[in-house]
Amino acid sequence: MTDLATELAQWEQDEIDRANASGRTPVVFVHGLWLLSSSWQPWRDLFEESGYATLAPGWPDDPPTVQEARAYPEVFAHKTVQQVTDHYLSAIAQLDRKPAVVGHSFGGLIAQKIAGTGAAAATVAIDNAPFKGVLPVPLSSIRSSSPVLGNPANRGKAIALTFDQFVYGWANNLDRDEARQLYDSYHVAASGVPLFQAVVANFNPFHNEVTVAARNTDRGPLLIIGGAKDNTVPLAITRATYNYQHKHNPGVTEFTEIPDRGHSLTIDHGWREVAEPTLEFVQRFTS
């Protein structure tokens, strides 16, 4: 575990303390690239109303607000998949009860890495970034990641998407007004490192940071959710994720396809269509 990962912000520590004091089963939400943990607030409200204690740590050094993130975008640079995973594991280690873990995009990959350590009571990965062993590379995914991968120097930078890039990768199934509202409300810069790590994972014969311990029998129940119209993480990737996990783990592994939904499915007007089956799955295995 890296030194960076153990440095929880005070607000993150406060959320851990609140969850422990509640006596409720905790649910940990993990965001991906180009968002902050505040993007989970509607989900947190739903889960809290259903009797859970929720927490949504950030990635290491994440600013608390979108406004601050846009003022100091350089803070996002250099974050790696393992550093972020270790940061969440640092938070989870302080919880009195084993949590359910819900992640989106690279957060969905990180959620599966957490599950692979045996630290999750149940896990839901939504439009997850691919890990080592997940082979499909659809053209739309290549195009969505090209703003970062198109320049090798971006590996060490924090990269923001233009509005048109956001529309293609995130909001291709939405009207322009909603796409603009989401972009203005949620979009922040992101580390280029995880995308470079993911794109080379299957060319590295050894263990790397984009590896998931799918064979761990303590992984716990896992639900993979895929948006049918996602350009960034197309169904070919989420289905391949399900097939890999189902093949290598004897535990519960399920797949749910959400029709007509793009990569913004956790933050757009239809978020409840994704949150409700997530909640139902968590309830089945944390009662």
Side-chain angles (χ1 to χ4, degrees):
M1 192 172 291
T2 65
D3 290 339
L4 175 64
T6 61
E7 295 175 357
L8 296 173
Q10 185 59 53
W11 66 268
E12 294 171 315
Q13 189 64 55
D14 290 344
E15 289 198 354
I16 293 166
D17 294 344
R18 173 182 168 274
N20 287 337
S22 75
R24 297 178 171 189
T25 298
V27 179
V28 176
F29 291 95
V30 187
H31 71 83
L33 299 177
W34 292 300
L35 294 177
L36 295 177
S37 62
S38 56
S39 62
W40 286 113
Q41 192 58 53
W43 289 64
R44 295 183 66 179
D45 292 343
L46 175 65
F47 276 70
E48 294 270 349
E49 291 165 3
S50 300
Y52 292 95
T54 68
L55 55 158
W59 289 28
D61 301 324
D62 270 2
T65 67
V66 170
Q67 291 74 21
E68 186 174 338
R70 289 175 178 165
Y72 304 100
E74 64 278 1
V75 73
F76 295 104
H78 307 296
K79 302 303 185 295
T80 73
V81 170
Q82 194 60 49
Q83 284 176 335
V84 178
T85 303
D86 288 347
H87 191 77
Y88 281 88
L89 287 171
S90 294
I92 290 170
Q94 296 187 49
L95 293 171
D96 294 339
R97 303 178 67 176
K98 184 181 284 192
V101 180
V102 178
H104 169 251
S105 195
F106 264 94
L109 163 61
I110 291 163
Q112 291 176 80
K113 284 175 67 67
I114 292 168
T117 71
T123 304
V124 181
I126 305 163
D127 285 355
N128 63 274
F131 52 81
K132 184 177 175 66
V134 175
L135 301 178
V137 187
L139 289 176
S140 69
S141 183
I142 295 172
R143 179 178 169 184
S144 294
S145 59
S146 63
V148 177
L149 297 178
N151 182 353
N154 287 340
R155 181 183 177 92
K157 298 179 180 179
I159 307 299
L161 302 177
T162 67
F163 176 63
D164 285 341
Q165 290 166 346
F166 178 82
V167 168
Y168 180 81
W170 285 70
N172 54 295
N173 66 315
L174 305 176
D175 63 45
R176 298 280 288 191
D177 288 343
E178 183 175 8
R180 173 57 72 178
Q181 185 271 325
L182 295 179
Y183 184 79
D184 291 345
S185 298
Y186 294 111
H187 177 69
V188 297
S191 171
V193 178
L195 283 165
F196 282 93
Q197 291 180 301
V199 79
V200 302
N202 288 314
F203 299 98
N204 184 343
F206 305 106
H207 177 89
N208 57 62
E209 292 193 8
V210 193
T211 300
V212 167
R215 290 178 171 83
N216 186 356
T217 55
D218 292 328
R219 184 206 68 184
L222 171 65
L223 172 63
I224 307 294
I225 295 180
K229 290 189 176 180
D230 192 333
N231 281 341
T232 296
V233 183
L235 279 176
I237 292 176
T238 46
R239 285 175 175 154
T241 299
Y242 165 77
N243 290 336
Y244 188 96
Q245 289 276 11
H246 181 67
K247 176 181 178 180
H248 291 98
N249 196 289
V252 173
T253 308
E254 298 180 4
F255 181 80
T256 296
E257 177 181 332
I258 309 294
D260 302 319
R261 304 303 299 285
H263 203 60
S264 67
L265 77 176
T266 59
I267 57 173
D268 63 33
H269 71 277
W271 67 271
R272 290 189 71 102
E273 298 172 23
V274 191
E276 288 172 354
T278 298
L279 175 60
E280 291 168 5
F281 184 83
V282 169
Q283 288 173 324
R284 281 166 53 197
F285 297 103
T286 60
S287 59

